[in-house]
Amino acid sequence: MRKVGVIHSNPYSSGKIAFDPRDGHTIANGGKGMGGIQFWDIHSGELKRKLPIQADTFQALAFSPDGSVFVSGGADTGIQFWDTHDWNSYRTITEPKGHILDLQFSPDGSLIAANSYKDGTVRLWDVQSAELIHTFEFGSFAFHPVESTIYIAHDDRFSICDIESGKLDRVIQVDETVEYFVFHPQGTLIAAQIDREMISLWHGKNMHIKRLLENPLDARRPIFSPDGKILAITYETTNSIILWNHETGEAIDKVEGDLGVPESLLFSPDGKVLVRGGWGLSRGYIEIWQV
């Protein structure tokens, strides 16, 4: 990888980032206070737009799969919806109240899910009507990229629920405490962050362990490349990023950073750029690498 840029963003950045899928080079960065949510061009470093919202920190950001809707959630704002054609805020969902940790659209963009530590739930809404569809027990969650299911990790077990009926399909017990996880683009593998000490790779269907990528460097935020060939992991203690071949368990590349605490890691939609968001003592940052 080759570092191609650094953007110094909102001084009160949360480090959360999200790519606009319409152009693949505009990235949203969350913050708080007058810094609000900022939208940057990762090629030019230009600040393209700012939503100067008086609010506490925005912990979660997401674009719909077609980029027509942008949503944010934070500690005191509920979930806000923007039409990205004119950037008018057209809806706010006030429940759950506060501490929204993650927001995700379903693969077809018809549903949105949020988890709230404060009220201990994962909730699912219809995007068009804003109707609350289902409420599940709190945990880290992800929509399956192919099946009509949502996976929710509760410490050492996964609940797999049907997103149409809301019924619990099955529970799979695992022997580790899962803090965060992501699916392979084809849904065949799950990469899970285990107690910030290692990344575990599981087969998606039966959750049998395929491989452990152990590293005592506070492994965080695994993410698969869009083509599914690379697994990228950021490490908090050394501020490094390692690219792994998840088929062989071999490290492909490694880069070091020195700008602060890493919070988010994303590939661009075309997989050619890797972006990391974080925060330091005086400002937030967005680091950009060509893969």
Side-chain angles (χ1 to χ4, degrees), residues 263-275:
E263 184 62 38
S264 302
L265 191 65
L266 287 178
F267 281 95
S268 60
D270 63 5
K272 295 180 179 180
V273 175
L274 185 64
V275 177

Side-chain angles (χ1 to χ4, degrees), residues 110-233:
S110 65
L111 302 173
I112 189 165
N115 61 354
S116 170
Y117 178 79
K118 188 173 182 178
D119 75 349
T121 64
V122 174
R123 301 191 190 200
L124 210 60
W125 292 270
D126 181 273
V127 171
Q128 290 296 323
S129 67
E131 178 186 359
L132 178 63
I133 305 297
H134 306 299
T135 300
F136 305 109
E137 180 186 353
F138 176 80
S140 175
F141 70 91
F143 286 100
H144 193 284
V146 179
E147 302 173 356
S148 296
T149 54
I150 186 170
Y151 282 51
I152 306 171
H154 320 281
D155 293 330
D156 60 352
R157 61 187 168 85
F158 277 86
S159 295
I160 303 169
C161 302
D162 184 278
I163 60 175
E164 295 180 0
S165 67
K167 293 182 178 179
L168 179 65
D169 181 56
R170 62 191 186 277
V171 175
I172 298 178
Q173 197 75 26
V174 293
D175 295 328
E176 310 288 350
T177 299
V178 178
E179 294 186 357
Y180 174 82
F181 71 96
V182 291
F183 276 103
H184 185 278
Q186 297 177 357
T188 53
L189 292 173
I190 287 175
Q193 175 182 319
I194 308 297
D195 293 328
R196 292 194 181 183
E197 293 181 356
M198 61 184 176
I199 301 297
S200 181
L201 280 170
W202 291 316
H203 292 285
K205 276 287 186 184
N206 51 29
M207 306 300 287
H208 289 166
I209 290 181
K210 176 183 179 180
R211 179 170 289 106
L212 295 177
L213 300 176
E214 296 190 50
N215 198 314
L217 301 175
D218 294 340
R220 298 190 64 170
R221 295 288 172 176
I223 186 74
F224 287 101
S225 59
D227 63 7
K229 295 180 180 180
I230 297 172
L231 180 66
I233 304 170

Side-chain angles (χ1 to χ4, degrees), residues 5-107:
V6 176
I7 295 171
H8 294 287
S9 58
N10 184 351
Y12 303 102
S13 173
S14 66
K16 301 293 185 178
I17 53 178
F19 266 107
D20 186 337
R22 294 173 299 175
D23 61 19
H25 57 81
T26 299
I27 197 162
N29 177 224
K32 66 179 180 179
M34 289 303 293
I37 302 171
Q38 300 176 342
F39 297 81
W40 299 87
D41 187 308
I42 62 169
H43 295 328
S44 67
E46 174 191 0
L47 178 61
K48 300 178 66 174
R49 185 179 306 278
K50 183 168 68 173
L51 302 178
I53 303 164
Q54 294 284 1
D56 204 342
T57 305
F58 287 93
Q59 298 289 352
L61 308 168
F63 283 93
S64 61
D66 65 2
S68 64
V69 179
F70 176 76
V71 294
S72 69
D76 61 359
T77 59
I79 302 171
Q80 291 185 264
F81 288 70
W82 281 269
D83 184 328
T84 60
H85 294 98
D86 54 19
W87 288 101
N88 284 327
S89 178
Y90 66 92
R91 177 184 297 141
T92 299
I93 296 176
T94 58
E95 297 289 341
K97 292 186 181 297
H99 297 276
I100 295 170
L101 301 178
D102 195 11
L103 286 167
Q104 293 182 31
F105 284 89
S106 59

